Amino acid sequence: MTDWKKIIDKYYSGDGDLRTILIIHSQSVARKALQIVSLHPELNLDREFIEEAAMLHDIGIIKTDAPGIKCFGTEPYICHGILGAEMLRQEGLPRHARVCERHTGAGLSLNEIVSQNLPLPHQDFLPETLEEQVICYADKFFSKTHLDREKSAEKAEKSIAKFGEEGLARFKQWEKMFE
């Protein structure tokens, strides 16, 4: 069992706004992901891992430049997943790191990265395991700017659609699997 609290404390010390945003958002994602675990025992999902990885999936936001959510780093926000993955690999958590790097959007394919000229390595960052998919799916219902509310499926779809049809198709597939 991973002590995700210690890892968050290591990178987000004190009681700052960014720490609060990270924790509230991550708790919302974890809660929704764990609801899916409970609704779908037939999927044999790893409940403990899902909770830990959901709490750590956005650990890399601290290194990004997103002042609207109190991030004052230097990297583009789109990179928070790969930055978080690097942090968690250094912590000895390669499985959790995969969730970080594969949760942006509805995952990102090499085609999406190249066609949108995203500042990411040219490779697929698609959720592969069911646990990765559940966390990525749950994440799409919560923003870091409106921490007090869950988006409807329609609003989540609209958000994802802005970035292309590939991600929207993945999200709709997860809707069928997880709802």
Side-chain angles (χ1 to χ4, degrees), residues 120-135:
L120 295 168
H122 286 189
Q123 67 184 72
D124 284 327
F125 289 104
L126 298 169
E128 293 174 349
T129 69
L130 283 173
E131 287 82 2
E132 290 167 2
Q133 292 172 35
V134 165
I135 294 165

PDB file of all heavy atoms in Angstrom, residues 120-135:
ATOM      1  N   LEU A 120       4.508  17.394 -26.281  1.00  0.00           N
ATOM      2  CA  LEU A 120       4.655  16.111 -25.591  1.00  0.00           C
ATOM      3  C   LEU A 120       5.501  15.179 -26.453  1.00  0.00           C
ATOM      4  O   LEU A 120       5.560  15.352 -27.675  1.00  0.00           O
ATOM      5  CB  LEU A 120       3.274  15.475 -25.368  1.00  0.00           C
ATOM      6  CG  LEU A 120       2.332  16.225 -24.436  1.00  0.00           C
ATOM      7  CD1 LEU A 120       0.918  15.653 -24.523  1.00  0.00           C
ATOM      8  CD2 LEU A 120       2.836  16.177 -22.998  1.00  0.00           C
ATOM      9  N   PRO A 121       6.131  14.183 -25.833  1.00  0.00           N
ATOM     10  CA  PRO A 121       6.872  13.198 -26.628  1.00  0.00           C
ATOM     11  C   PRO A 121       5.950  12.560 -27.673  1.00  0.00           C
ATOM     12  O   PRO A 121       4.759  12.378 -27.419  1.00  0.00           O
ATOM     13  CB  PRO A 121       7.315  12.163 -25.589  1.00  0.00           C
ATOM     14  CG  PRO A 121       7.308  12.903 -24.289  1.00  0.00           C
ATOM     15  CD  PRO A 121       6.188  13.901 -24.398  1.00  0.00           C
ATOM     16  N   HIS A 122       6.494  12.233 -28.808  1.00  0.00           N
ATOM     17  CA  HIS A 122       5.705  11.653 -29.891  1.00  0.00           C
ATOM     18  C   HIS A 122       5.533  10.150 -29.670  1.00  0.00           C
ATOM     19  O   HIS A 122       6.285   9.332 -30.188  1.00  0.00           O
ATOM     20  CB  HIS A 122       6.354  11.959 -31.240  1.00  0.00           C
ATOM     21  CG  HIS A 122       6.168  13.377 -31.655  1.00  0.00           C
ATOM     22  ND1 HIS A 122       6.505  13.850 -32.892  1.00  0.00           N
ATOM     23  CD2 HIS A 122       5.653  14.446 -30.993  1.00  0.00           C
ATOM     24  CE1 HIS A 122       6.210  15.141 -32.974  1.00  0.00           C
ATOM     25  NE2 HIS A 122       5.707  15.518 -31.818  1.00  0.00           N
ATOM     26  N   GLN A 123       4.498   9.850 -28.876  1.00  0.00           N
ATOM     27  CA  GLN A 123       4.129   8.468 -28.582  1.00  0.00           C
ATOM     28  C   GLN A 123       2.686   8.466 -28.096  1.00  0.00           C
ATOM     29  O   GLN A 123       2.120   9.524 -27.799  1.00  0.00           O
ATOM     30  CB  GLN A 123       5.059   7.863 -27.535  1.00  0.00           C
ATOM     31  CG  GLN A 123       4.927   8.507 -26.151  1.00  0.00           C
ATOM     32  CD  GLN A 123       5.916   7.955 -25.152  1.00  0.00           C
ATOM     33  OE1 GLN A 123       7.096   8.235 -25.245  1.00  0.00           O
ATOM     34  NE2 GLN A 123       5.436   7.175 -24.204  1.00  0.00           N
ATOM     35  N   ASP A 124       2.097   7.294 -28.022  1.00  0.00           N
ATOM     36  CA  ASP A 124       0.744   7.175 -27.472  1.00  0.00           C
ATOM     37  C   ASP A 124       0.785   7.298 -25.958  1.00  0.00           C
ATOM     38  O   ASP A 124       1.663   6.725 -25.306  1.00  0.00           O
ATOM     39  CB  ASP A 124       0.139   5.805 -27.826  1.00  0.00           C
ATOM     40  CG  ASP A 124      -0.322   5.712 -29.264  1.00  0.00           C
ATOM     41  OD1 ASP A 124      -0.779   6.734 -29.815  1.00  0.00           O
ATOM     42  OD2 ASP A 124      -0.246   4.614 -29.837  1.00  0.00           O
ATOM     43  N   PHE A 125      -0.154   8.051 -25.423  1.00  0.00           N
ATOM     44  CA  PHE A 125      -0.376   8.134 -23.976  1.00  0.00           C
ATOM     45  C   PHE A 125      -1.838   7.780 -23.732  1.00  0.00           C
ATOM     46  O   PHE A 125      -2.640   8.626 -23.316  1.00  0.00           O
ATOM     47  CB  PHE A 125      -0.053   9.537 -23.446  1.00  0.00           C
ATOM     48  CG  PHE A 125       1.411   9.852 -23.448  1.00  0.00           C
ATOM     49  CD1 PHE A 125       1.950  10.692 -24.401  1.00  0.00           C
ATOM     50  CD2 PHE A 125       2.256   9.292 -22.497  1.00  0.00           C
ATOM     51  CE1 PHE A 125       3.306  10.993 -24.405  1.00  0.00           C
ATOM     52  CE2 PHE A 125       3.621   9.582 -22.497  1.00  0.00           C
ATOM     53  CZ  PHE A 125       4.143  10.434 -23.456  1.00  0.00           C
ATOM     54  N   LEU A 126      -2.183   6.546 -24.024  1.00  0.00           N
ATOM     55  CA  LEU A 126      -3.563   6.082 -23.910  1.00  0.00           C
ATOM     56  C   LEU A 126      -3.711   5.176 -22.697  1.00  0.00           C
ATOM     57  O   LEU A 126      -2.865   4.300 -22.476  1.00  0.00           O
ATOM     58  CB  LEU A 126      -3.964   5.313 -25.176  1.00  0.00           C
ATOM     59  CG  LEU A 126      -3.925   6.119 -26.470  1.00  0.00           C
ATOM     60  CD1 LEU A 126      -4.077   5.199 -27.674  1.00  0.00           C
ATOM     61  CD2 LEU A 126      -5.004   7.188 -26.455  1.00  0.00           C
ATOM     62  N   PRO A 127      -4.782   5.357 -21.924  1.00  0.00           N
ATOM     63  CA  PRO A 127      -5.019   4.449 -20.800  1.00  0.00           C
ATOM     64  C   PRO A 127      -5.226   3.036 -21.341  1.00  0.00           C
ATOM     65  O   PRO A 127      -6.041   2.840 -22.247  1.00  0.00           O
ATOM     66  CB  PRO A 127      -6.294   4.979 -20.151  1.00  0.00           C
ATOM     67  CG  PRO A 127      -6.538   6.315 -20.738  1.00  0.00           C
ATOM     68  CD  PRO A 127      -5.825   6.361 -22.038  1.00  0.00           C
ATOM     69  N   GLU A 128      -4.501   2.086 -20.807  1.00  0.00           N
ATOM     70  CA  GLU A 128      -4.581   0.714 -21.303  1.00  0.00           C
ATOM     71  C   GLU A 128      -5.302  -0.203 -20.330  1.00  0.00           C
ATOM     72  O   GLU A 128      -6.222  -0.900 -20.716  1.00  0.00           O
ATOM     73  CB  GLU A 128      -3.177   0.186 -21.616  1.00  0.00           C
ATOM     74  CG  GLU A 128      -2.541   0.923 -22.785  1.00  0.00           C
ATOM     75  CD  GLU A 128      -1.092   0.532 -23.028  1.00  0.00           C
ATOM     76  OE1 GLU A 128      -0.484  -0.154 -22.179  1.00  0.00           O
ATOM     77  OE2 GLU A 128      -0.566   0.922 -24.089  1.00  0.00           O
ATOM     78  N   THR A 129      -4.900  -0.205 -19.073  1.00  0.00           N
ATOM     79  CA  THR A 129      -5.557  -1.088 -18.102  1.00  0.00           C
ATOM     80  C   THR A 129      -6.920  -0.521 -17.741  1.00  0.00           C
ATOM     81  O   THR A 129      -7.185   0.677 -17.903  1.00  0.00           O
ATOM     82  CB  THR A 129      -4.719  -1.236 -16.819  1.00  0.00           C
ATOM     83  OG1 THR A 129      -4.728   0.018 -16.116  1.00  0.00           O
ATOM     84  CG2 THR A 129      -3.278  -1.663 -17.121  1.00  0.00           C
ATOM     85  N   LEU A 130      -7.779  -1.379 -17.235  1.00  0.00           N
ATOM     86  CA  LEU A 130      -9.104  -0.909 -16.795  1.00  0.00           C
ATOM     87  C   LEU A 130      -8.974   0.139 -15.691  1.00  0.00           C
ATOM     88  O   LEU A 130      -9.729   1.117 -15.669  1.00  0.00           O
ATOM     89  CB  LEU A 130      -9.964  -2.084 -16.311  1.00  0.00           C
ATOM     90  CG  LEU A 130     -10.563  -2.950 -17.413  1.00  0.00           C
ATOM     91  CD1 LEU A 130     -11.255  -4.167 -16.809  1.00  0.00           C
ATOM     92  CD2 LEU A 130     -11.531  -2.158 -18.275  1.00  0.00           C
ATOM     93  N   GLU A 131      -8.008  -0.048 -14.797  1.00  0.00           N
ATOM     94  CA  GLU A 131      -7.821   0.933 -13.723  1.00  0.00           C
ATOM     95  C   GLU A 131      -7.436   2.295 -14.295  1.00  0.00           C
ATOM     96  O   GLU A 131      -7.960   3.328 -13.861  1.00  0.00           O
ATOM     97  CB  GLU A 131      -6.768   0.438 -12.724  1.00  0.00           C
ATOM     98  CG  GLU A 131      -7.247  -0.688 -11.826  1.00  0.00           C
ATOM     99  CD  GLU A 131      -7.196  -2.084 -12.442  1.00  0.00           C
ATOM    100  OE1 GLU A 131      -6.734  -2.227 -13.603  1.00  0.00           O
ATOM    101  OE2 GLU A 131      -7.619  -3.033 -11.770  1.00  0.00           O
ATOM    102  N   GLU A 132      -6.518   2.316 -15.269  1.00  0.00           N
ATOM    103  CA  GLU A 132      -6.136   3.571 -15.920  1.00  0.00           C
ATOM    104  C   GLU A 132      -7.351   4.214 -16.591  1.00  0.00           C
ATOM    105  O   GLU A 132      -7.551   5.428 -16.507  1.00  0.00           O
ATOM    106  CB  GLU A 132      -5.046   3.313 -16.971  1.00  0.00           C
ATOM    107  CG  GLU A 132      -3.710   2.934 -16.371  1.00  0.00           C
ATOM    108  CD  GLU A 132      -2.711   2.372 -17.382  1.00  0.00           C
ATOM    109  OE1 GLU A 132      -3.022   2.298 -18.595  1.00  0.00           O
ATOM    110  OE2 GLU A 132      -1.601   2.003 -16.952  1.00  0.00           O
ATOM    111  N   GLN A 133      -8.172   3.405 -17.238  1.00  0.00           N
ATOM    112  CA  GLN A 133      -9.355   3.910 -17.927  1.00  0.00           C
ATOM    113  C   GLN A 133     -10.378   4.483 -16.946  1.00  0.00           C
ATOM    114  O   GLN A 133     -10.947   5.548 -17.197  1.00  0.00           O
ATOM    115  CB  GLN A 133      -9.981   2.804 -18.779  1.00  0.00           C
ATOM    116  CG  GLN A 133      -9.116   2.394 -19.947  1.00  0.00           C
ATOM    117  CD  GLN A 133      -9.646   1.181 -20.673  1.00  0.00           C
ATOM    118  OE1 GLN A 133     -10.850   1.000 -20.796  1.00  0.00           O
ATOM    119  NE2 GLN A 133      -8.744   0.342 -21.161  1.00  0.00           N
ATOM    120  N   VAL A 134     -10.608   3.793 -15.851  1.00  0.00           N
ATOM    121  CA  VAL A 134     -11.582   4.265 -14.852  1.00  0.00           C
ATOM    122  C   VAL A 134     -11.171   5.625 -14.293  1.00  0.00           C
ATOM    123  O   VAL A 134     -11.994   6.537 -14.184  1.00  0.00           O
ATOM    124  CB  VAL A 134     -11.756   3.232 -13.707  1.00  0.00           C
ATOM    125  CG1 VAL A 134     -12.465   3.847 -12.500  1.00  0.00           C
ATOM    126  CG2 VAL A 134     -12.517   2.011 -14.198  1.00  0.00           C
ATOM    127  N   ILE A 135      -9.904   5.789 -13.956  1.00  0.00           N
ATOM    128  CA  ILE A 135      -9.439   7.063 -13.382  1.00  0.00           C
ATOM    129  C   ILE A 135      -9.512   8.170 -14.424  1.00  0.00           C
ATOM    130  O   ILE A 135      -9.978   9.280 -14.142  1.00  0.00           O
ATOM    131  CB  ILE A 135      -8.025   6.925 -12.783  1.00  0.00           C
ATOM    132  CG1 ILE A 135      -8.066   5.969 -11.581  1.00  0.00           C
ATOM    133  CG2 ILE A 135      -7.464   8.294 -12.377  1.00  0.00           C
ATOM    134  CD1 ILE A 135      -6.711   5.481 -11.123  1.00  0.00           C
TER     135      ILE A 135
END
